[in-house]
Amino acid sequence: MTIKKIETTEEHQAALARIELLWDAEPNTPEYEELETLSALVDAYEDANFPMI
């Protein structure tokens, strides 16, 4: 998966699915780094598109 800014609902859903696959990744591995990065991108997307009031 190419990691980039999440801009669409489809990209958001794909990132969530990938996070689920990576959930048990061991620290200090490429998979863990991908998990951390995708989590931050999903968080940013959700903050922008689903603000808490």
Side-chain angles (χ1 to χ4, degrees):
M1 173 178 210
T2 301
I3 297 178
K4 62 181 188 72
K5 180 180 176 185
I6 298 170
E7 297 179 335
T8 68
T9 301
E10 293 79 16
E11 291 171 347
H12 179 243
Q13 292 300 313
L16 291 174
R18 182 67 179 155
I19 287 170
E20 187 173 340
L21 291 174
L22 296 169
W23 193 252
D24 293 322
E26 294 292 324
N28 302 314
T29 63
E31 293 81 10
Y32 186 82
E33 293 300 319
E34 182 181 359
L35 173 62
E36 290 288 302
T37 302
L38 284 173
S39 296
L41 290 170
V42 165
D43 189 46
Y45 176 85
E46 290 176 350
D47 285 348
N49 290 281
F50 308 109
M52 306 263 293
I53 299 176

